[in-house]
Amino acid sequence: MQVAPQIKTIIVYAKVNPDSITLENGFTRDARKFGHYGTGDLEIRIVTDDDLEKAKHLLIKSYENN
């Protein structure tokens, strides 16, 4: 997880196969295509409370995949 206070964003790399979900521009993206700190293949950007609610099921899925 990365916290970017300058852009008010939390970035999480989750162990979820990006091919198994519908990616949403600005919320999720395939992290296999670029270098990053973290172990997951799915990048999740959390900016709002609504984003956090949307991310919960992905975070649980990542936890269960471990």
Side-chain angles (χ1 to χ4, degrees):
M1 178 185 346
Q2 297 176 341
V3 178
Q6 64 275 19
I7 58 172
K8 299 178 181 175
T9 303
I10 297 171
I11 302 170
V12 178
Y13 294 99
K15 285 191 174 186
V16 175
N17 183 345
D19 297 330
S20 69
I21 65 164
T22 302
L23 298 176
E24 294 181 44
N25 192 26
F27 176 62
T28 53
R29 73 176 174 158
D30 187 344
R32 295 176 293 191
K33 300 178 181 181
F34 59 90
H36 64 88
Y37 294 108
T39 58
D41 291 335
L42 180 69
E43 179 185 279
I44 306 169
R45 291 181 166 267
I46 301 170
V47 179
T48 67
D49 290 341
D50 290 337
D51 290 344
L52 181 58
E53 286 299 316
K54 288 192 309 185
K56 280 184 182 178
H57 80 279
L58 296 170
L59 298 173
I60 290 168
K61 188 174 183 177
S62 177
Y63 177 78
E64 290 172 348
N65 286 340
N66 283 312

